[in-house]
Amino acid sequence: MMPLLAAVFLTGQAVYALGRVDAGSTIDRVKVAAWVAWALALLALLATGGGIFRGREIRKLMDDESTRANRNQAYAVGFWLAMGTTITIYGLTAFDTIAPRESLHLIVTIAVAGALVTFGYRERRDHLGG
Amino acid sequence: MAEGLGNRMREERNARGLTQVALAEQIGVSRKTINTVENGVFIPSTTLALKIARAFGRSVDDVFYLTGEE
C-alpha cells in the first residue's frame, strides 16, 4: 500500500517536471496546496502506520516492535535521501539557479517517497516471510 | 566472526503445537513480529524476548543464544 502511495505521489510530481509552478495563479496555488496536503498526509501515515479508524488493540498490534523498527529504518533512509538531495542541489547551484520552492519540493518529495517505499517494502517482506 | 542472535523458537513452538498466530496472540504481538524474530530478521527487545521465553515456559537463555562466538 505505502509503495503504491509513494508511486502515486511521485507520479504527481510530473506536474512540476512538465511545467513551472510559480504559485502566481489560483490554479498553481491549488497545485502547491495539494502537494503540501499530500506530503503531510503521507508523513502522518508513515508516523502512525495508518489504522486511524481501527480500535486501540488493533492499532497497538499494527504498531508493535518490528513495525517500529521498520519505521525507524524508513526515517533513516528518508533522512539520508534528504541530505543527499540537498547536497546535490547545493552543488547544482554552481551551474544553474534553482528556486527555493523547487529545491524544497525536490527534497521533501524524494525523502518522503524514499521513506514510504522503505517502510512498505520492509513491512511486506516481514508479512510474507516464513 | 560477527556475533548474531540465534533462537530455538520454531522447535519450541512446534513441540507445543503452536502456530505463529497462536503464539503471537498469546504474547500480544503480530504474527509478523513472531515470524521476523523466528527467522532472525528482527532482534527482539529484552521485554519481547522475556515474553517469548515465558510463553514457552523457558528461560531466555534456553530460547535465544549468541551465534558466531569465538
mmCIF file of all heavy atoms in Angstrom, chain A residues 62-107:
data_model
loop_
_atom_site.group_PDB
_atom_site.id
_atom_site.type_symbol
_atom_site.label_atom_id
_atom_site.label_comp_id
_atom_site.label_asym_id
_atom_site.label_seq_id
_atom_site.Cartn_x
_atom_site.Cartn_y
_atom_site.Cartn_z
ATOM 1 N N MET A 62 -0.758 -3.263 15.233
ATOM 2 C CA MET A 62 -0.188 -2.771 13.969
ATOM 3 C C MET A 62 1.086 -1.972 14.206
ATOM 4 O O MET A 62 1.811 -1.674 13.263
ATOM 5 C CB MET A 62 -1.208 -1.873 13.245
ATOM 6 C CG MET A 62 -2.362 -2.631 12.621
ATOM 7 S SD MET A 62 -3.655 -1.511 12.062
ATOM 8 C CE MET A 62 -2.823 -0.701 10.711
ATOM 9 N N ASP A 63 1.310 -1.594 15.468
ATOM 10 C CA ASP A 63 2.464 -0.749 15.765
ATOM 11 C C ASP A 63 3.376 -1.457 16.765
ATOM 12 O O ASP A 63 3.863 -0.851 17.717
ATOM 13 C CB ASP A 63 1.981 0.599 16.324
ATOM 14 C CG ASP A 63 3.100 1.617 16.373
ATOM 15 O OD1 ASP A 63 3.938 1.619 15.453
ATOM 16 O OD2 ASP A 63 3.155 2.402 17.345
ATOM 17 N N ASP A 64 3.546 -2.743 16.570
ATOM 18 C CA ASP A 64 4.373 -3.463 17.537
ATOM 19 C C ASP A 64 5.864 -3.284 17.213
ATOM 20 O O ASP A 64 6.249 -2.488 16.364
ATOM 21 C CB ASP A 64 3.954 -4.938 17.642
ATOM 22 C CG ASP A 64 4.164 -5.687 16.357
ATOM 23 O OD1 ASP A 64 4.655 -5.080 15.400
ATOM 24 O OD2 ASP A 64 3.847 -6.884 16.311
ATOM 25 N N GLU A 65 6.674 -4.041 17.943
ATOM 26 C CA GLU A 65 8.125 -3.806 17.927
ATOM 27 C C GLU A 65 8.767 -3.838 16.532
ATOM 28 O O GLU A 65 9.561 -2.961 16.189
ATOM 29 C CB GLU A 65 8.772 -4.886 18.788
ATOM 30 C CG GLU A 65 9.863 -4.350 19.668
ATOM 31 C CD GLU A 65 10.305 -5.373 20.676
ATOM 32 O OE1 GLU A 65 11.117 -6.239 20.332
ATOM 33 O OE2 GLU A 65 9.843 -5.306 21.828
ATOM 34 N N SER A 66 8.412 -4.830 15.739
ATOM 35 C CA SER A 66 9.058 -4.938 14.418
ATOM 36 C C SER A 66 8.622 -3.801 13.503
ATOM 37 O O SER A 66 9.401 -3.308 12.689
ATOM 38 C CB SER A 66 8.749 -6.299 13.783
ATOM 39 O OG SER A 66 7.373 -6.448 13.589
ATOM 40 N N THR A 67 7.362 -3.367 13.653
ATOM 41 C CA THR A 67 6.885 -2.244 12.839
ATOM 42 C C THR A 67 7.636 -0.978 13.208
ATOM 43 O O THR A 67 8.031 -0.193 12.331
ATOM 44 C CB THR A 67 5.366 -2.024 13.066
ATOM 45 O OG1 THR A 67 4.694 -3.221 12.743
ATOM 46 C CG2 THR A 67 4.838 -0.897 12.194
ATOM 47 N N ARG A 68 7.848 -0.777 14.504
ATOM 48 C CA ARG A 68 8.580 0.431 14.931
ATOM 49 C C ARG A 68 10.020 0.387 14.417
ATOM 50 O O ARG A 68 10.579 1.415 14.032
ATOM 51 C CB ARG A 68 8.536 0.568 16.458
ATOM 52 C CG ARG A 68 7.141 0.929 16.981
ATOM 53 C CD ARG A 68 7.190 1.440 18.407
ATOM 54 N NE ARG A 68 7.683 0.449 19.358
ATOM 55 C CZ ARG A 68 6.916 -0.438 19.974
ATOM 56 N NH1 ARG A 68 5.617 -0.449 19.774
ATOM 57 N NH2 ARG A 68 7.431 -1.317 20.817
ATOM 58 N N ALA A 69 10.603 -0.805 14.401
ATOM 59 C CA ALA A 69 11.975 -0.927 13.872
ATOM 60 C C ALA A 69 11.999 -0.587 12.385
ATOM 61 O O ALA A 69 12.905 0.100 11.904
ATOM 62 C CB ALA A 69 12.499 -2.341 14.102
ATOM 63 N N ASN A 70 10.996 -1.076 11.655
ATOM 64 C CA ASN A 70 10.912 -0.769 10.216
ATOM 65 C C ASN A 70 10.710 0.725 9.989
ATOM 66 O O ASN A 70 11.268 1.307 9.061
ATOM 67 C CB ASN A 70 9.763 -1.551 9.572
ATOM 68 C CG ASN A 70 10.090 -3.020 9.432
ATOM 69 O OD1 ASN A 70 11.255 -3.413 9.487
ATOM 70 N ND2 ASN A 70 9.080 -3.844 9.271
ATOM 71 N N ARG A 71 9.895 1.327 10.863
ATOM 72 C CA ARG A 71 9.643 2.765 10.715
ATOM 73 C C ARG A 71 10.930 3.554 10.970
ATOM 74 O O ARG A 71 11.238 4.514 10.258
ATOM 75 C CB ARG A 71 8.544 3.200 11.680
ATOM 76 C CG ARG A 71 8.197 4.692 11.522
ATOM 77 C CD ARG A 71 7.072 5.120 12.425
ATOM 78 N NE ARG A 71 5.832 4.462 12.073
ATOM 79 C CZ ARG A 71 5.139 3.669 12.893
ATOM 80 N NH1 ARG A 71 5.562 3.440 14.102
ATOM 81 N NH2 ARG A 71 4.032 3.119 12.492
ATOM 82 N N ASN A 72 11.667 3.155 11.994
ATOM 83 C CA ASN A 72 12.931 3.853 12.288
ATOM 84 C C ASN A 72 13.899 3.753 11.109
ATOM 85 O O ASN A 72 14.597 4.698 10.783
ATOM 86 C CB ASN A 72 13.579 3.268 13.555
ATOM 87 C CG ASN A 72 12.823 3.676 14.797
ATOM 88 O OD1 ASN A 72 12.058 4.631 14.777
ATOM 89 N ND2 ASN A 72 13.025 2.954 15.884
ATOM 90 N N GLN A 73 13.923 2.575 10.491
ATOM 91 C CA GLN A 73 14.786 2.394 9.322
ATOM 92 C C GLN A 73 14.328 3.304 8.176
ATOM 93 O O GLN A 73 15.151 3.922 7.485
ATOM 94 C CB GLN A 73 14.755 0.926 8.883
ATOM 95 C CG GLN A 73 15.690 0.600 7.740
ATOM 96 C CD GLN A 73 17.152 0.779 8.109
ATOM 97 O OE1 GLN A 73 17.557 0.495 9.218
ATOM 98 N NE2 GLN A 73 17.945 1.302 7.187
ATOM 99 N N ALA A 74 13.010 3.402 8.018
ATOM 100 C CA ALA A 74 12.455 4.261 6.961
ATOM 101 C C ALA A 74 12.806 5.731 7.226
ATOM 102 O O ALA A 74 13.157 6.466 6.293
ATOM 103 C CB ALA A 74 10.938 4.084 6.889
ATOM 104 N N TYR A 75 12.721 6.138 8.493
ATOM 105 C CA TYR A 75 13.105 7.514 8.835
ATOM 106 C C TYR A 75 14.570 7.762 8.461
ATOM 107 O O TYR A 75 14.924 8.820 7.945
ATOM 108 C CB TYR A 75 12.948 7.777 10.332
ATOM 109 C CG TYR A 75 11.521 7.957 10.807
ATOM 110 C CD1 TYR A 75 11.157 7.610 12.107
ATOM 111 C CD2 TYR A 75 10.535 8.492 9.984
ATOM 112 C CE1 TYR A 75 9.862 7.779 12.574
ATOM 113 C CE2 TYR A 75 9.232 8.654 10.439
ATOM 114 C CZ TYR A 75 8.904 8.301 11.736
ATOM 115 O OH TYR A 75 7.625 8.468 12.181
ATOM 116 N N ALA A 76 15.411 6.781 8.752
ATOM 117 C CA ALA A 76 16.844 6.937 8.456
ATOM 118 C C ALA A 76 17.070 7.081 6.950
ATOM 119 O O ALA A 76 17.837 7.939 6.502
ATOM 120 C CB ALA A 76 17.621 5.745 9.003
ATOM 121 N N VAL A 77 16.379 6.244 6.177
ATOM 122 C CA VAL A 77 16.513 6.331 4.711
ATOM 123 C C VAL A 77 16.038 7.702 4.224
ATOM 124 O O VAL A 77 16.692 8.352 3.397
ATOM 125 C CB VAL A 77 15.709 5.200 4.020
ATOM 126 C CG1 VAL A 77 15.586 5.443 2.523
ATOM 127 C CG2 VAL A 77 16.382 3.858 4.275
ATOM 128 N N GLY A 78 14.902 8.167 4.768
ATOM 129 C CA GLY A 78 14.383 9.478 4.393
ATOM 130 C C GLY A 78 15.365 10.583 4.729
ATOM 131 O O GLY A 78 15.584 11.492 3.920
ATOM 132 N N PHE A 79 15.981 10.471 5.884
ATOM 133 C CA PHE A 79 16.959 11.486 6.301
ATOM 134 C C PHE A 79 18.146 11.533 5.340
ATOM 135 O O PHE A 79 18.541 12.606 4.867
ATOM 136 C CB PHE A 79 17.450 11.169 7.724
ATOM 137 C CG PHE A 79 18.620 12.008 8.159
ATOM 138 C CD1 PHE A 79 18.428 13.299 8.625
ATOM 139 C CD2 PHE A 79 19.916 11.521 8.081
ATOM 140 C CE1 PHE A 79 19.507 14.083 9.011
ATOM 141 C CE2 PHE A 79 20.997 12.294 8.454
ATOM 142 C CZ PHE A 79 20.795 13.579 8.928
ATOM 143 N N TRP A 80 18.698 10.366 5.024
ATOM 144 C CA TRP A 80 19.878 10.348 4.150
ATOM 145 C C TRP A 80 19.538 10.774 2.722
ATOM 146 O O TRP A 80 20.350 11.415 2.052
ATOM 147 C CB TRP A 80 20.556 8.977 4.174
ATOM 148 C CG TRP A 80 21.283 8.775 5.463
ATOM 149 C CD1 TRP A 80 20.984 7.876 6.444
ATOM 150 C CD2 TRP A 80 22.398 9.535 5.941
ATOM 151 N NE1 TRP A 80 21.845 8.035 7.500
ATOM 152 C CE2 TRP A 80 22.723 9.040 7.230
ATOM 153 C CE3 TRP A 80 23.144 10.590 5.428
ATOM 154 C CZ2 TRP A 80 23.764 9.560 7.986
ATOM 155 C CZ3 TRP A 80 24.182 11.111 6.186
ATOM 156 C CH2 TRP A 80 24.482 10.594 7.449
ATOM 157 N N LEU A 81 18.331 10.423 2.266
ATOM 158 C CA LEU A 81 17.910 10.892 0.938
ATOM 159 C C LEU A 81 17.771 12.411 0.939
ATOM 160 O O LEU A 81 18.158 13.084 -0.026
ATOM 161 C CB LEU A 81 16.588 10.237 0.539
ATOM 162 C CG LEU A 81 16.687 8.799 0.045
ATOM 163 C CD1 LEU A 81 15.293 8.207 -0.156
ATOM 164 C CD2 LEU A 81 17.468 8.725 -1.265
ATOM 165 N N ALA A 82 17.234 12.963 2.025
ATOM 166 C CA ALA A 82 17.090 14.422 2.124
ATOM 167 C C ALA A 82 18.465 15.084 2.110
ATOM 168 O O ALA A 82 18.680 16.089 1.416
ATOM 169 C CB ALA A 82 16.328 14.791 3.392
ATOM 170 N N MET A 83 19.397 14.490 2.849
ATOM 171 C CA MET A 83 20.759 15.048 2.885
ATOM 172 C C MET A 83 21.408 14.969 1.499
ATOM 173 O O MET A 83 22.016 15.937 1.025
ATOM 174 C CB MET A 83 21.630 14.294 3.888
ATOM 175 C CG MET A 83 21.258 14.507 5.345
ATOM 176 S SD MET A 83 21.360 16.225 5.835
ATOM 177 C CE MET A 83 19.649 16.658 5.919
ATOM 178 N N GLY A 84 21.270 13.819 0.866
ATOM 179 C CA GLY A 84 21.877 13.623 -0.456
ATOM 180 C C GLY A 84 21.298 14.585 -1.485
ATOM 181 O O GLY A 84 22.029 15.185 -2.283
ATOM 182 N N THR A 85 19.964 14.733 -1.436
ATOM 183 C CA THR A 85 19.308 15.641 -2.384
ATOM 184 C C THR A 85 19.739 17.083 -2.129
ATOM 185 O O THR A 85 20.016 17.840 -3.067
ATOM 186 C CB THR A 85 17.773 15.526 -2.251
ATOM 187 O OG1 THR A 85 17.410 14.154 -2.325
ATOM 188 C CG2 THR A 85 17.065 16.284 -3.349
ATOM 189 N N THR A 86 19.806 17.450 -0.862
ATOM 190 C CA THR A 86 20.203 18.817 -0.506
ATOM 191 C C THR A 86 21.616 19.121 -1.002
ATOM 192 O O THR A 86 21.872 20.172 -1.604
ATOM 193 C CB THR A 86 20.137 19.011 1.027
ATOM 194 O OG1 THR A 86 18.833 18.669 1.475
ATOM 195 C CG2 THR A 86 20.443 20.450 1.410
ATOM 196 N N ILE A 87 22.520 18.200 -0.760
ATOM 197 C CA ILE A 87 23.912 18.407 -1.186
ATOM 198 C C ILE A 87 24.002 18.476 -2.710
ATOM 199 O O ILE A 87 24.720 19.302 -3.267
ATOM 200 C CB ILE A 87 24.808 17.286 -0.610
ATOM 201 C CG1 ILE A 87 24.909 17.460 0.907
ATOM 202 C CG2 ILE A 87 26.195 17.297 -1.248
ATOM 203 C CD1 ILE A 87 25.473 16.269 1.648
ATOM 204 N N THR A 88 23.230 17.593 -3.373
ATOM 205 C CA THR A 88 23.227 17.606 -4.848
ATOM 206 C C THR A 88 22.714 18.946 -5.374
ATOM 207 O O THR A 88 23.314 19.545 -6.275
ATOM 208 C CB THR A 88 22.337 16.462 -5.386
ATOM 209 O OG1 THR A 88 22.807 15.230 -4.843
ATOM 210 C CG2 THR A 88 22.378 16.397 -6.897
ATOM 211 N N ILE A 89 21.603 19.406 -4.812
ATOM 212 C CA ILE A 89 21.037 20.685 -5.265
ATOM 213 C C ILE A 89 22.033 21.818 -5.005
ATOM 214 O O ILE A 89 22.246 22.690 -5.853
ATOM 215 C CB ILE A 89 19.688 20.965 -4.555
ATOM 216 C CG1 ILE A 89 18.628 19.997 -5.066
ATOM 217 C CG2 ILE A 89 19.236 22.409 -4.780
ATOM 218 C CD1 ILE A 89 17.327 20.043 -4.296
ATOM 219 N N TYR A 90 22.647 21.761 -3.838
ATOM 220 C CA TYR A 90 23.632 22.798 -3.498
ATOM 221 C C TYR A 90 24.756 22.811 -4.545
ATOM 222 O O TYR A 90 25.185 23.870 -4.993
ATOM 223 C CB TYR A 90 24.202 22.527 -2.104
ATOM 224 C CG TYR A 90 25.109 23.628 -1.605
ATOM 225 C CD1 TYR A 90 24.585 24.819 -1.132
ATOM 226 C CD2 TYR A 90 26.493 23.469 -1.615
ATOM 227 C CE1 TYR A 90 25.416 25.832 -0.686
ATOM 228 C CE2 TYR A 90 27.332 24.472 -1.175
ATOM 229 C CZ TYR A 90 26.787 25.662 -0.697
ATOM 230 O OH TYR A 90 27.605 26.660 -0.267
ATOM 231 N N GLY A 91 25.192 21.625 -4.930
ATOM 232 C CA GLY A 91 26.246 21.531 -5.946
ATOM 233 C C GLY A 91 25.782 22.064 -7.290
ATOM 234 O O GLY A 91 26.518 22.751 -8.001
ATOM 235 N N LEU A 92 24.514 21.755 -7.629
ATOM 236 C CA LEU A 92 23.968 22.188 -8.921
ATOM 237 C C LEU A 92 23.831 23.706 -9.014
ATOM 238 O O LEU A 92 23.844 24.270 -10.110
ATOM 239 C CB LEU A 92 22.607 21.526 -9.162
ATOM 240 C CG LEU A 92 22.648 20.027 -9.488
ATOM 241 C CD1 LEU A 92 21.224 19.466 -9.573
ATOM 242 C CD2 LEU A 92 23.396 19.774 -10.799
ATOM 243 N N THR A 93 23.689 24.363 -7.875
ATOM 244 C CA THR A 93 23.533 25.821 -7.921
ATOM 245 C C THR A 93 24.799 26.505 -8.443
ATOM 246 O O THR A 93 24.765 27.688 -8.788
ATOM 247 C CB THR A 93 23.188 26.398 -6.527
ATOM 248 O OG1 THR A 93 24.212 25.990 -5.607
ATOM 249 C CG2 THR A 93 21.835 25.945 -6.046
ATOM 250 N N ALA A 94 25.889 25.768 -8.518
ATOM 251 C CA ALA A 94 27.112 26.334 -9.103
ATOM 252 C C ALA A 94 26.947 26.519 -10.609
ATOM 253 O O ALA A 94 27.662 27.310 -11.227
ATOM 254 C CB ALA A 94 28.293 25.423 -8.799
ATOM 255 N N PHE A 95 26.021 25.758 -11.199
ATOM 256 C CA PHE A 95 25.827 25.800 -12.655
ATOM 257 C C PHE A 95 24.524 26.455 -13.084
ATOM 258 O O PHE A 95 24.387 26.907 -14.205
ATOM 259 C CB PHE A 95 25.873 24.375 -13.224
ATOM 260 C CG PHE A 95 27.082 23.606 -12.800
ATOM 261 C CD1 PHE A 95 27.025 22.682 -11.770
ATOM 262 C CD2 PHE A 95 28.301 23.848 -13.414
ATOM 263 C CE1 PHE A 95 28.150 21.984 -11.368
ATOM 264 C CE2 PHE A 95 29.428 23.155 -13.009
ATOM 265 C CZ PHE A 95 29.364 22.220 -11.993
ATOM 266 N N ASP A 96 23.543 26.423 -12.194
ATOM 267 C CA ASP A 96 22.240 26.959 -12.574
ATOM 268 C C ASP A 96 21.530 27.490 -11.327
ATOM 269 O O ASP A 96 21.848 27.091 -10.212
ATOM 270 C CB ASP A 96 21.396 25.848 -13.225
ATOM 271 C CG ASP A 96 20.213 26.399 -14.003
ATOM 272 O OD1 ASP A 96 20.099 27.638 -14.103
ATOM 273 O OD2 ASP A 96 19.411 25.589 -14.492
ATOM 274 N N THR A 97 20.567 28.323 -11.554
ATOM 275 C CA THR A 97 19.787 28.850 -10.429
ATOM 276 C C THR A 97 18.599 27.928 -10.175
ATOM 277 O O THR A 97 17.880 27.569 -11.102
ATOM 278 C CB THR A 97 19.259 30.260 -10.754
ATOM 279 O OG1 THR A 97 20.370 31.071 -11.127
ATOM 280 C CG2 THR A 97 18.553 30.867 -9.557
ATOM 281 N N ILE A 98 18.438 27.550 -8.946
ATOM 282 C CA ILE A 98 17.294 26.709 -8.595
ATOM 283 C C ILE A 98 16.480 27.464 -7.542
ATOM 284 O O ILE A 98 17.019 27.884 -6.515
ATOM 285 C CB ILE A 98 17.743 25.342 -8.045
ATOM 286 C CG1 ILE A 98 18.603 24.631 -9.094
ATOM 287 C CG2 ILE A 98 16.543 24.482 -7.683
ATOM 288 C CD1 ILE A 98 19.242 23.359 -8.616
ATOM 289 N N ALA A 99 15.207 27.619 -7.818
ATOM 290 C CA ALA A 99 14.341 28.380 -6.908
ATOM 291 C C ALA A 99 14.195 27.639 -5.585
ATOM 292 O O ALA A 99 14.190 26.401 -5.566
ATOM 293 C CB ALA A 99 12.984 28.590 -7.557
ATOM 294 N N PRO A 100 14.065 28.394 -4.505
ATOM 295 C CA PRO A 100 13.902 27.753 -3.187
ATOM 296 C C PRO A 100 12.733 26.774 -3.146
ATOM 297 O O PRO A 100 12.853 25.678 -2.615
ATOM 298 C CB PRO A 100 13.665 28.933 -2.247
ATOM 299 C CG PRO A 100 14.299 30.097 -2.925
ATOM 300 C CD PRO A 100 14.141 29.853 -4.388
ATOM 301 N N ARG A 101 11.599 27.181 -3.747
ATOM 302 C CA ARG A 101 10.439 26.285 -3.697
ATOM 303 C C ARG A 101 10.725 24.975 -4.424
ATOM 304 O O ARG A 101 10.358 23.901 -3.954
ATOM 305 C CB ARG A 101 9.208 26.967 -4.308
ATOM 306 C CG ARG A 101 7.982 26.027 -4.246
ATOM 307 C CD ARG A 101 6.730 26.636 -4.827
ATOM 308 N NE ARG A 101 6.150 27.588 -3.920
ATOM 309 C CZ ARG A 101 5.913 28.863 -4.240
ATOM 310 N NH1 ARG A 101 6.188 29.304 -5.430
ATOM 311 N NH2 ARG A 101 5.380 29.673 -3.371
ATOM 312 N N GLU A 102 11.366 25.074 -5.565
ATOM 313 C CA GLU A 102 11.691 23.861 -6.320
ATOM 314 C C GLU A 102 12.641 22.966 -5.523
ATOM 315 O O GLU A 102 12.511 21.746 -5.503
ATOM 316 C CB GLU A 102 12.330 24.226 -7.657
ATOM 317 C CG GLU A 102 11.338 24.750 -8.672
ATOM 318 C CD GLU A 102 12.015 25.225 -9.947
ATOM 319 O OE1 GLU A 102 13.244 25.044 -10.080
ATOM 320 O OE2 GLU A 102 11.317 25.778 -10.802
ATOM 321 N N SER A 103 13.605 23.597 -4.868
ATOM 322 C CA SER A 103 14.555 22.829 -4.062
ATOM 323 C C SER A 103 13.841 22.090 -2.934
ATOM 324 O O SER A 103 14.034 20.887 -2.743
ATOM 325 C CB SER A 103 15.609 23.752 -3.447
ATOM 326 O OG SER A 103 16.271 24.474 -4.439
ATOM 327 N N LEU A 104 13.025 22.823 -2.213
ATOM 328 C CA LEU A 104 12.306 22.211 -1.086
ATOM 329 C C LEU A 104 11.374 21.114 -1.580
ATOM 330 O O LEU A 104 11.246 20.054 -0.953
ATOM 331 C CB LEU A 104 11.510 23.280 -0.334
ATOM 332 C CG LEU A 104 12.356 24.338 0.369
ATOM 333 C CD1 LEU A 104 11.480 25.443 0.937
ATOM 334 C CD2 LEU A 104 13.186 23.711 1.485
ATOM 335 N N HIS A 105 10.761 21.382 -2.714
ATOM 336 C CA HIS A 105 9.846 20.400 -3.306
ATOM 337 C C HIS A 105 10.594 19.085 -3.594
ATOM 338 O O HIS A 105 10.128 18.000 -3.253
ATOM 339 C CB HIS A 105 9.288 20.991 -4.600
ATOM 340 C CG HIS A 105 8.222 20.165 -5.210
ATOM 341 N ND1 HIS A 105 6.890 20.437 -5.052
ATOM 342 C CD2 HIS A 105 8.284 19.052 -5.969
ATOM 343 C CE1 HIS A 105 6.181 19.536 -5.691
ATOM 344 N NE2 HIS A 105 7.005 18.686 -6.261
ATOM 345 N N LEU A 106 11.745 19.222 -4.218
ATOM 346 C CA LEU A 106 12.548 18.031 -4.543
ATOM 347 C C LEU A 106 12.974 17.275 -3.289
ATOM 348 O O LEU A 106 12.865 16.050 -3.201
ATOM 349 C CB LEU A 106 13.806 18.454 -5.307
ATOM 350 C CG LEU A 106 13.727 18.477 -6.821
ATOM 351 C CD1 LEU A 106 15.005 19.052 -7.395
ATOM 352 C CD2 LEU A 106 13.505 17.056 -7.361
ATOM 353 N N ILE A 107 13.482 18.026 -2.321
ATOM 354 C CA ILE A 107 13.995 17.390 -1.097
ATOM 355 C C ILE A 107 12.882 16.622 -0.390
ATOM 356 O O ILE A 107 13.037 15.445 -0.042
ATOM 357 C CB ILE A 107 14.600 18.451 -0.148
ATOM 358 C CG1 ILE A 107 15.841 19.080 -0.782
ATOM 359 C CG2 ILE A 107 14.951 17.836 1.207
ATOM 360 C CD1 ILE A 107 16.277 20.375 -0.120
#
